[in-house]
Amino acid sequence: MEERILIVEDELQLARLMELELDHEGYAVKVSHNGREALGLLQEEEFDLVLLDIMLPEMDGVEVCRRLREFSDIPVIMVTARDAVPEKVEALDTGADDYITKPFAIEELLARIRALLRRKNNDLKEDSNMLAIADLVIDKYKYKVKRAEEEVELTKKEFDLLVYLVENQGIVLTREDILSNIWGYDYMGETNIVDVYIRYLRSKIDDPFEQKLIKTVRGVGYVIRDDQE
Ligand code: CA
């Protein structure tokens, strides 16, 4: 999977050079020459990392970073025009993850990008809001589910059921386990509600995909498991 990098740089030659180098390294690259436009792109599209020049037309890099941090924790490398300590401090204060001073060796930039992306991927795994099995990812705080990078719409109950299964992945859960955890001990409705909801869930997260994750354990209940692991 290609990682997407946004380059925000108004010096056209430098922007072009970085674009070529990063493209050559296998990243998917987009370039913006203007701070305001870049912020718009960051709101609309998903990127894995931003290279953000400080001196930019319309909105400077520090302001872009400040606003960006209101809605995203994407890794940011600030690019400072000279070895200016106050600028660097300001850049890091607004939530940039790293900075690099012009002129820089492209190898150094690439090394810093790799380091930040590696850190980001590790954070994602450790982040307790995030659950994952195979290519399915759940963000518990944002109530979002993705399978193979595609967002899947679930109802609240379907979502709760999926979270419960994934938190217990590899463990067979009985209908009673599921019923008491998702519907509560005092649930008085139809007992086949678990099977009904498992069917709903399968139709959304399994049926459209080749690898099936939810398995039926006959006479017992259900388990979510990644057999290809
Ligand atoms: Ca500039």
Side-chain angles (χ1 to χ4, degrees), residues 3 9-10 14 21 26 40 44 52 64 77 79 97 108 126-127 134 139 141 150 152 157 173 179 183 185 208:
E3 284 163 307
E9 172 60 71
D10 61 322
L14 179 60
E21 292 284 352
E44 286 159 20
L52 188 57
V64 172
I77 300 178
V79 183
D97 298 273
E108 188 188 348
E126 285 164 13
D127 193 338
D139 185 328
Y141 278 11
E150 294 282 318
V152 182
K157 272 280 183 274
L173 301 167
L179 204 57
W183 280 270
Y185 287 97

Side-chain angles (χ1 to χ4, degrees), residues 33-50:
H33 305 297
N34 158 331
R36 189 171 299 280
E37 178 197 74
L39 190 65
L41 285 171
L42 287 159
Q43 277 163 333
E44 286 159 20
E45 300 179 26
E46 276 195 38
F47 294 94
D48 296 293
L49 185 141
V50 193

Side-chain angles (χ1 to χ4, degrees), residues 8-11 53-57 79 81 102:
V8 192
E9 172 60 71
D10 61 322
E11 286 169 48
D53 184 27
I54 288 191
M55 299 293 284
L56 288 167
V79 183
K102 293 184 212 173

Side-chain angles (χ1 to χ4, degrees), residues 33 95 101 104:
H33 305 297
T101 308
F104 49 80

Side-chain angles (χ1 to χ4, degrees), residues 38-219:
L39 190 65
L41 285 171
L42 287 159
Q43 277 163 333
E44 286 159 20
E45 300 179 26
E46 276 195 38
F47 294 94
D48 296 293
L49 185 141
V50 193
L51 292 173
L52 188 57
D53 184 27
I54 288 191
M55 299 293 284
L56 288 167
E58 292 198 39
M59 187 187 293
D60 70 35
V62 171
E63 186 58 21
V64 172
C65 190
R66 204 190 321 273
R67 297 200 189 183
L68 174 64
R69 281 294 175 253
E70 288 170 10
F71 62 89
S72 168
D73 57 2
I74 180 174
V76 174
I77 300 178
M78 284 282 197
V79 183
T80 61
R82 58 192 176 281
D83 203 1
V85 174
E87 256 188 7
K88 281 181 191 170
V89 171
E90 197 182 3
L92 295 174
D93 274 352
T94 56
D97 298 273
D98 200 357
Y99 61 83
I100 192 164
T101 308
K102 293 184 212 173
F104 49 80
I106 201 75
E107 283 309 321
E108 188 188 348
L109 179 67
L110 293 174
R112 285 171 187 242
I113 290 172
R114 281 193 298 269
L116 268 184
L117 288 175
R118 203 160 49 229
R119 206 162 85 198
K120 177 182 176 239
N121 291 334
N122 288 340
D123 284 354
L124 199 62
K125 275 183 222 143
E126 285 164 13
D127 193 338
S128 61
N129 308 330
M130 306 298 287
L131 288 170
I133 181 167
D135 56 357
L136 178 105
V137 180
I138 303 172
D139 185 328
K140 287 203 285 179
Y141 278 11
K142 294 186 184 158
Y143 270 90
K144 288 210 165 143
V145 176
K146 281 187 178 178
R147 177 115 202 231
E149 302 286 315
E150 294 282 318
E151 201 162 313
V152 182
E153 296 260 352
L154 297 181
T155 64
K156 171 83 168 62
K157 272 280 183 274
E158 290 163 357
F159 184 85
D160 291 346
L161 176 57
L162 181 63
V163 167
Y164 182 56
L165 287 168
V166 175
E167 281 180 334
N168 292 284
Q169 57 187 276
I171 299 169
V172 179
L173 301 167
T174 65
R175 286 179 181 75
E176 291 71 31
D177 288 334
I178 296 171
L179 204 57
S180 61
N181 270 279
I182 306 302
W183 280 270
Y185 287 97
D186 53 355
Y187 177 75
M188 299 291 281
E190 296 292 319
T191 50
N192 72 345
I193 187 106
V194 172
D195 305 286
V196 171
Y197 271 83
I198 289 282
R199 200 159 65 233
Y200 291 158
L201 204 48
R202 278 179 162 152
S203 73
K204 294 178 178 179
I205 67 142
D206 267 349
D207 293 352
F209 303 94
E210 196 179 337
Q211 188 191 359
K212 312 301 178 199
L213 298 172
I214 301 174
K215 332 269 184 208
T216 304
V217 182
R218 288 192 63 183

